[in-house]
Amino acid sequence: MLSQAAAMVGAPAIRNRGTVGGNIQSASPAADVVVPLLALDAKLVLASIGGKREIYLKDFHLGPGKTDRKPEELITEIRFDCLEDDRSVFYKLGQRNALAIAIVSLALQISFSSQNEVTKVAIALGSVAPTAVRASNTEDYLLGKTLTDETIRMAREMLTKDIKPISDLRASSEYRDSASQVLLARALKSVMPNSNTSCRGAV
Ligand SMILES: Cc1cc2nc3c(=O)[nH]c(=O)nc-3n(C[C@H](O)[C@H](O)[C@H](O)COP(=O)(O)OP(=O)(O)OC[C@H]3O[C@@H](n4cnc5c(N)ncnc54)[C@H](O)[C@@H]3O)c2cc1C
């Protein structure tokens, strides 16, 4: 999901010059790389002449364009655990296939038991709240479940408790709400055990 998100930032010229640190510090609720990093429970290392400190990414973004970074600090490292048997996917819905700010984006990381029950799940969304958010209610609902059409339908309903989309020039809050549910259903279907769908995100 991280490589999928990185590949969807802007266009080649932007990706050649842009950095992950800049993507995080911009604190845009639509920043593409932030969404999978949030699903990965990433921590940032902030360094200054006074030393280093660590902060979870979820605590770093305070609002649109606002972060917990002090003026003298730089983001020098991003830390997260390696994925093992987990499946993951990133979806971004924009107005075009390139150079498009996300109307909604969603990152999913999930693992299953040998009985196909969900043993671990992390869902993060962009452009549906003042900062990128984790869908904690939906994650709690999915834990221990087998992914069926009914489970996915209930997860879609649960997702509405986790997001607070606004209306702006790109989309209405109602559209974002509905699109978030569609992306969640697509993501869950694409990672289902024995799914023929490849774990590839799409714009
Ligand atoms: C045409 C265009 C299209 C774009 N499309 C997308 C898109 O599709 N998806 C998306 O997510 N973003 C997009 N962006 C936004 C931006 O390009 C990316 O977020 C990029 O990753 C920013 O990285 P940068 O290194 O250029 O940061 P900069 O723009 O140089 O910096 C952004 C801010 O972060 C600070 N900063 C930079 N690095 C650090 C650091 N290591 N530690 C602390 N502060 C730091 C800078 O001082 C500045 O305040 C687009 C921008 C443009 C111009």
Side-chain angles (χ1 to χ4, degrees), residues 101-120:
I101 303 296
I103 291 171
V104 176
S105 59
L106 182 144
L108 167 71
Q109 184 193 354
I110 197 163
S111 56
F112 298 94
S113 68
S114 52
Q115 281 80 42
N116 293 340
E117 289 151 347
V118 176
T119 52
K120 197 169 96 182

Side-chain angles (χ1 to χ4, degrees), residues 55-71:
I55 182 168
Y56 277 103
L57 178 60
K58 70 178 171 59
D59 300 323
F60 184 67
H61 288 135
L62 307 177
K66 293 197 184 109
T67 70
D68 188 56
R69 186 180 70 91
K70 298 188 179 74

Side-chain angles (χ1 to χ4, degrees), residues 8-10 14 18-19 21-23 25 31-32 69 74-75 92 99-100:
M8 289 182 193
V9 174
I14 298 292
T19 62
N23 198 255
Q25 176 57 33
D32 289 323
R69 186 180 70 91
L74 278 177
I75 301 164
K92 171 177 172 178
L99 284 176

Side-chain angles (χ1 to χ4, degrees), residues 44-166:
L44 309 179
V45 176
L46 296 171
S48 70
I49 197 159
K52 288 185 176 183
R53 68 178 174 117
E54 281 190 9
I55 182 168
Y56 277 103
L57 178 60
K58 70 178 171 59
D59 300 323
F60 184 67
H61 288 135
L62 307 177
K66 293 197 184 109
T67 70
D68 188 56
R69 186 180 70 91
K70 298 188 179 74
E72 66 276 17
E73 288 179 324
L74 278 177
I75 301 164
T76 53
E77 289 175 55
I78 300 153
R79 296 181 174 170
F80 53 85
D81 291 335
C82 284
L83 301 180
E84 291 172 1
D85 291 336
D86 304 30
R87 292 158 174 244
S88 74
V89 69
F90 174 80
Y91 280 90
K92 171 177 172 178
L93 175 68
Q95 288 174 330
R96 296 175 298 277
N97 285 340
L99 284 176
I101 303 296
I103 291 171
V104 176
S105 59
L106 182 144
L108 167 71
Q109 184 193 354
I110 197 163
S111 56
F112 298 94
S113 68
S114 52
Q115 281 80 42
N116 293 340
E117 289 151 347
V118 176
T119 52
K120 197 169 96 182
V121 59
I123 303 163
L125 292 104
S127 294
V128 293
T131 62
V133 288
R134 281 284 288 268
S136 315
N137 291 298
T138 312
E139 292 172 1
D140 289 348
Y141 167 73
L142 285 168
L143 263 184
K145 302 271 189 325
T146 306
L147 293 187
T148 61
D149 286 346
E150 179 58 12
T151 316
I152 293 173
R153 191 186 67 74
M154 290 296 291
R156 285 178 58 148
E157 274 185 27
M158 198 62 69
L159 188 65
T160 58
K161 294 187 180 172
D162 288 314
I163 59 177
K164 289 191 182 62
I166 57 160

